[in-house]
Every structure is written in structure tokens, then in C-alpha cells.
């Protein structure tokens, strides 16, 4: 357990935990016993435990609706013993330093959207799709067109990620609509499903039983404690081979499962007709227009989808999957999650483009509502902030981190034992 980490509070009896449901935000205990969180179960992660101040601010800083909901909840000033046990998750120095740093960035306009950046990001994926479709339909370079379309789909994943954090235009309704369009047509997936799951990851990255990005069986296991849950000999064999299967096979299987089952099921259950229409439009455009004249359109589609899935999932895996985990009952500071359970990839113009500035994952996890093009500008001050508080600012070369990620998959896969 890292410095500053807190376990479930000893001041609260088991009976009290069963009848009490409060969340600590800004020094106040908010009663959430009868509150149904619109974003799902994420609120449970910090109920009766830990300090949710930074998480609330970063997830809901732009939302007037969320601020109004918070004000409507019953609240009391947290008693001294509760603050001693939970405030800042044991690192009040980080809370103060983080608040000062965030205020500096806000004054400088670092959280403000940039119109030219929006035009560039949207225009890029549109142009890539147009050129890719042209190569398939009107030239003898159909394979190059399939690859370019796959990369364009992957970059739709980067772009919808920005919109899903409401950091693209800064207008929640606009960003949601853009995310649904970009993710639905570009990737065949549901923005609402992504927001529900991804915010859980951001609240507690690499935390067992909380971070959904660790809940990946049977296709992959990133930690030995996850692999230990495997019971089937076939799954265990698959995991032993996962370092070889991850990029060419597992990424495609995950994407296909999301596209054909999880995401449309969620959109149907939640009656999101616009998302369903966007997902359907994707297949109309692909099979009705772009791939229509090909001899083997299904195989072409699988190749396109494999490029997209391996591009986006492999790059995302570099940021966390090979790093330590925290236990389910362990609470660490928002800043420590970014420092100890997140890594940056060494910046360069090519890498910044290839990973859409999400090679600055430390900055992104500290300030998920900040437009991602700002991360490279604030990184020197984030590094200095970490060093001032005794935290390591983790930066690794791209291919070195890729090797570590695959080596971790190999080690985890071979940690399973035959029954």
C-alpha cells in the first residue's frame, strides 16, 4: 500500500456502514442513501470511504445540473474524526497543491476549448475516411484504403474519447452529440456505454473490483489476481498465449464483441435511438457503399476492423495495464492514482499525433476535463509538482513500454496453474 493510502475507516462500525451512505466532498458529508446517480454505480466507490472531492470536480466541473444535484442533497460538515480518517485520502498536502495547480491552469485558460483544434480534429478523421474510401472504390490500392480506413476508425476512438470527457467543445450537449456520431458511425459503438464504463476507470484506475479495465476475462488478463479467477483449462491456455494473441486477435475479438453485442444491447436497453441510428449508418456506408464492389467484403471488413481495434486498444494498454494495482478496500489520493498507476509515453511530434496527445496520460488523469492538446504545455509543471511532493513522474519510450506491456501479458498468462 502506497504512502497516503487509506483502508476502510475503523471509526465506523459494521452496523453503521450498512445504514449510512455518505460521500465526502469539499469537507462536507453528503447523504446519498436515497440518491440514484445518473452515471451508474461509480458513486458507490467512494461511499462511506475516501474523499471524492477531486473526482467530483473533474467529472462534473462543467455540469450545472450535477452542481445543482449536489446542492440538493442533505449534507453536514464532516466531523474532525471523519476528516482525519478520510480527507485527501491521507494526503491533504496533495489536495492543497493540486487545487493551487488546477487554479493556475484555469486562470490561464487551459480548460477552454480551441476552435481551430476542433476543426482540425474533426476534419482529419473526415478527410482520412474520404481518402480511404477513394482508394478502395476508385484505385488499385484497395489494401492501402482498408488500412487507412482502419486507422481513421481508430482515430475516431481518440476523438470520441475527447468528446466523451466534454473537453472537445466544452459544451456537454454538443460534445455528447459529437461523441455519439463519431463513435457510432466511426467505430460502431455506444457513447453512453463508454461514458458509464470509462468514468469508473478514471475514478479508480488499476483498483481491483472497481476499475472495469481490469475486468477483462476471458479474453485477456493484465494482472495475476485477475488471471487467478480463470477456471477453464481452455481459458488458461488462451491466457498463456495472450502476449502473442493480444494485438492480432484479442483486440479484434473485444471490438467485435462490443460492436455486435454489448454496445447495441446497451443502446436498446436505454432506448438511445440516435446511437442505434449511428451504428446502423456505419454498416450501411461500409457494406452498401465502400466495400460493396469487393469480392470478399466480409474479409475486407474484418481486416479494416482489426487495424482499427489493434491501433486503439494496443495504444491504450500502454498507459496502465503493466502497472501495480490497489486493493478493493484501499483508497489513495486522486493525484497518486495518476502518479503510481499511470505512465506517460515519451513525447515527440509523431508520438503526440499517433496517440492523439493521450501519451500524456498522467496529465489526462489529473485533469480529464482539460482539452488534450494542452497536456504537452502543462507537463513540465506537473512534473515539478510531482517532484515537490515526492512522487515519480513516470515517462517511458514507446517501444520500451510496448515490450513491458507484452512481457506483463506473458508473465500474467503463465501465472495460472493447472487444476
Amino acid at each position: 500500500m502506497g504512502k497516503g493510502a487509506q483502508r476502510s475507516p475503523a471509526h465506523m462500525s459494521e452496523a453503521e456502514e450498512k445504514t449510512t451512505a455518505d460521500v465526502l466532498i469539499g469537507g462536507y458529508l453528503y447523504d446519498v442513501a436515497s440518491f440514484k446517480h445518473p452515471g451508474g454505480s461509480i458513486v458507490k466507490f467512494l461511499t462511506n470511504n475516501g474523499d471524492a472531492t477531486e473526482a467530483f470536480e473533474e467529472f462534473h466541473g462543467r455540469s450545472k445540473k450535477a452542481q445543482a444535484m449536489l446542492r440538493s442533497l442533505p449534507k453536514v460538515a464532516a466531523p474532525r474524526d471523519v476528516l482525519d480518517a478520510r480527507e485527501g485520502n491521507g494526503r491533504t498536502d496533495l489536495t492543497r497543491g493540486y487545487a493551487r495547480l488546477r487554479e493556475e491552469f484555469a486562470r490561464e485558460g487551459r480548460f477552454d476549448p480551441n476552435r481551430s483544434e476542433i476543426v482540425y480534429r474533426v476534419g482529419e478523421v473526415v478527410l482520412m475516411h474520404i481518402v480511404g474510401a477513394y482508394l478502395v472504390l476508385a484505385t488499385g490500392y484497395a489494401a492501402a484504403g482498408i488500412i487507412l480506413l482502419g486507422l481513421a476508425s481508430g482515430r475516431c476512438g481518440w476523438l470520441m474519447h475527447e468528446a466523451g470527457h466534454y473537453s472537445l467543445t466544452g459544451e456537454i450537449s454538443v460534445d455528447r452529440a459529437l461523441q455519439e456520431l463519431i463513435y457510432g458511425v466511426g467505430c460502431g459503438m455506444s457513447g453512453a456505454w463508454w461514458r458509464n464504463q470509462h468514468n469508473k476507470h478514471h475514478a479508480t484506475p488499476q483498483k481491483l473490483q472497481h476499475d472495469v479495465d481490469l475486468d477483462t476475462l476471458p479474453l485477456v488478463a493484465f494482472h495475476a489476481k485477475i488471471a487467478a479467477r480463470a477456471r477453464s483449462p481452455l481459458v488458461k491456455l488462451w491466457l498463456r498465449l495472450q502476449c502473442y494473441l493480444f494485438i492480432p486477435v484479442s483486440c479484434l475479438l473485444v471490438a467485435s464483441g462490443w460492436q455486435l453485442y454489448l454496445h447495441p444491447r446497451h443502446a436498446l436497453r436505454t432506448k438511445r435511438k440516435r446511437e442505434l441510428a449511428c451504428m446502423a449508418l456505419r454498416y450501411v456506408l461500409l457494406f452498401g457503399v465502400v466495400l460493396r464492389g469487393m469480392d470478399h467484403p466480409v474479409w475486407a471488413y474484418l481486416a479494416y476492423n482489426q487495424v482499427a481495434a489493434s491501433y486503439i486498444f494496443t495504444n491504450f494498454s500502454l498507459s496502465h495495464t503493466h502497472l501495480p494495482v490497489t486493493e478493493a478496500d484501499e483508497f489513495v489520493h486522486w493525484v497518486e492514482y495518476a502518479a503510481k498507476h499511470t505512465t506517460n509515453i515519451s513525447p515527440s511530434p509523431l508520438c503526440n499525433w499517433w496517440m492523439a496527445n493521450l501519451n500524456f496520460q498522467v496529465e489526462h488523469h489529473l485533469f480529464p476535463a482539460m482539452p488534450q492538446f494542452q497536456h504537452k504545455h502543462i507537463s513540465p509543471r506537473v512534473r515539478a509538482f510531482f517532484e515537490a511532493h515526492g512522487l515519480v513522474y513516470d515517462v517511458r519510450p514507446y517501444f520500451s513500454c510496448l515490450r513491458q506491456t507484452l512481457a506483463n501479458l506473458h508473465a500474467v498468462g503463465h501465472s495460472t496453474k493447472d487444476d
Side-chain angles (χ1 to χ4, degrees), residues 141-334:
Y141 300 99
I146 293 295
I147 293 171
L148 183 58
L149 286 171
L151 292 175
S153 178
R155 292 195 70 76
C156 282
W158 295 125
L159 183 55
M160 79 82 203
H161 177 279
E162 176 104 61
H165 279 291
Y166 310 141
S167 57
L168 185 61
T169 71
E171 295 289 338
I172 293 176
S173 60
V174 176
D175 277 344
R176 278 192 178 181
L178 284 172
Q179 186 199 27
E180 290 170 0
L181 177 65
I182 294 163
Y183 205 28
V185 178
C187 304
M189 299 180 190
S190 161
W193 186 94
W194 181 91
R195 290 191 301 271
N196 179 280
Q197 299 296 299
H198 191 68
N199 284 343
K200 294 175 183 177
H201 159 70
H202 262 271
T204 51
Q206 294 295 96
K207 183 171 182 175
L208 294 170
Q209 299 179 31
H210 292 75
D211 184 356
V212 295
D213 286 4
L214 290 172
D215 187 17
T216 50
L217 285 176
L219 291 177
V220 66
F222 293 112
H223 195 272
K225 290 187 176 181
I226 304 299
R229 300 174 188 170
R231 293 292 178 264
S232 166
L234 187 60
V235 172
K236 291 181 179 181
L237 175 61
W238 180 275
L239 293 181
R240 291 191 189 103
L241 298 172
Q242 67 175 351
C243 70
Y244 308 106
L245 295 170
F246 178 68
I247 295 175
V249 180
S250 299
C251 288
L252 176 60
L253 291 177
V254 170
S256 299
W258 285 14
Q259 291 160 341
L260 300 176
Y261 178 65
L262 281 178
H263 288 233
R265 183 186 67 164
H266 182 271
L268 284 167
R269 285 182 170 181
T270 55
K271 300 179 180 179
R272 296 182 182 274
K273 297 179 181 179
R274 188 166 60 188
E275 287 195 342
L276 290 168
C278 289
M279 287 185 263
L281 178 59
R282 175 175 185 263
Y283 294 104
V284 170
L285 291 173
L286 283 170
F287 288 102
V289 180
V290 179
L291 306 178
R292 184 178 180 181
M294 301 195 75
D295 292 335
H296 303 285
V298 174
W299 287 110
Y301 170 78
L302 289 174
Y304 147 81
N305 216 24
Q306 198 284 327
V307 171
S310 61
Y311 170 43
I312 195 75
F313 289 145
T314 300
N315 281 309
F316 268 124
S317 73
L318 306 183
S319 304
H320 304 281
T321 61
H322 50 93
L323 298 174
V325 300
T326 57
E327 298 297 328
D329 63 344
E330 185 178 357
F331 294 85
V332 301
H333 196 278
W334 178 267

Side-chain angles (χ1 to χ4, degrees), residues 23-243:
V23 174
L24 179 63
I25 299 175
Y28 288 91
L29 291 174
Y30 290 85
D31 184 353
V32 295
S34 59
F35 175 63
K36 186 175 181 180
H37 185 244
S41 62
I42 185 172
V43 72
K44 296 179 181 178
F45 297 175
L46 290 165
T47 298
N48 295 339
N49 290 300
D51 188 340
T53 302
E54 289 81 16
F56 179 85
E57 175 63 29
E58 293 303 333
F59 289 143
H60 300 306
R62 297 186 190 275
S63 175
K64 295 179 180 178
K65 182 178 179 181
Q67 300 286 345
M69 282 186 178
L70 185 68
R71 290 193 298 270
S72 72
L73 293 174
K75 70 175 182 178
V76 296
R80 185 71 260 167
D81 63 322
V82 172
L83 292 175
D84 290 342
R86 293 167 58 178
E87 187 177 27
N89 293 307
R91 291 295 303 267
T92 53
D93 61 318
L94 285 179
T95 295
R96 292 190 293 269
Y98 172 81
R100 286 194 296 269
L101 187 63
R102 194 185 198 285
E103 187 178 348
E104 288 177 16
F105 292 152
R107 284 199 305 268
E108 295 168 10
R110 300 292 182 184
F111 292 91
D112 298 339
N114 181 284
R115 186 172 299 176
S116 61
E117 181 72 12
I118 298 167
V119 172
Y120 158 66
R121 295 288 303 280
V122 175
E124 178 195 60
V125 296
V126 171
L127 181 61
M128 288 178 73
H129 277 97
I130 291 172
V131 174
Y134 172 76
L135 291 173
V136 172
L137 292 169
T139 75
Y141 300 99
I146 293 295
I147 293 171
L148 183 58
L149 286 171
L151 292 175
S153 178
R155 292 195 70 76
C156 282
W158 295 125
L159 183 55
M160 79 82 203
H161 177 279
E162 176 104 61
H165 279 291
Y166 310 141
S167 57
L168 185 61
T169 71
E171 295 289 338
I172 293 176
S173 60
V174 176
D175 277 344
R176 278 192 178 181
L178 284 172
Q179 186 199 27
E180 290 170 0
L181 177 65
I182 294 163
Y183 205 28
V185 178
C187 304
M189 299 180 190
S190 161
W193 186 94
W194 181 91
R195 290 191 301 271
N196 179 280
Q197 299 296 299
H198 191 68
N199 284 343
K200 294 175 183 177
H201 159 70
H202 262 271
T204 51
Q206 294 295 96
K207 183 171 182 175
L208 294 170
Q209 299 179 31
H210 292 75
D211 184 356
V212 295
D213 286 4
L214 290 172
D215 187 17
T216 50
L217 285 176
L219 291 177
V220 66
F222 293 112
H223 195 272
K225 290 187 176 181
I226 304 299
R229 300 174 188 170
R231 293 292 178 264
S232 166
L234 187 60
V235 172
K236 291 181 179 181
L237 175 61
W238 180 275
L239 293 181
R240 291 191 189 103
L241 298 172
Q242 67 175 351
C243 70

Side-chain angles (χ1 to χ4, degrees), residues 386-401:
F386 275 26
E387 292 173 352
H389 290 272
L391 297 172
V392 174
Y393 186 80
D394 191 352
V395 185
R396 309 183 189 199
Y398 183 92
F399 288 105
S400 174
C401 200

Side-chain angles (χ1 to χ4, degrees), residues 358-398:
L358 285 174
N359 51 320
F360 294 93
Q361 277 285 314
V362 170
E363 287 73 17
H364 175 60
H365 270 261
L366 286 175
F367 308 107
M370 179 181 288
Q372 290 154 20
F373 75 93
Q374 291 283 6
H375 294 161
K376 57 181 173 286
H377 303 300
I378 69 168
S379 62
R381 280 188 283 174
V382 171
R383 181 193 287 269
F385 168 62
F386 275 26
E387 292 173 352
H389 290 272
L391 297 172
V392 174
Y393 186 80
D394 191 352
V395 185
R396 309 183 189 199
Y398 183 92

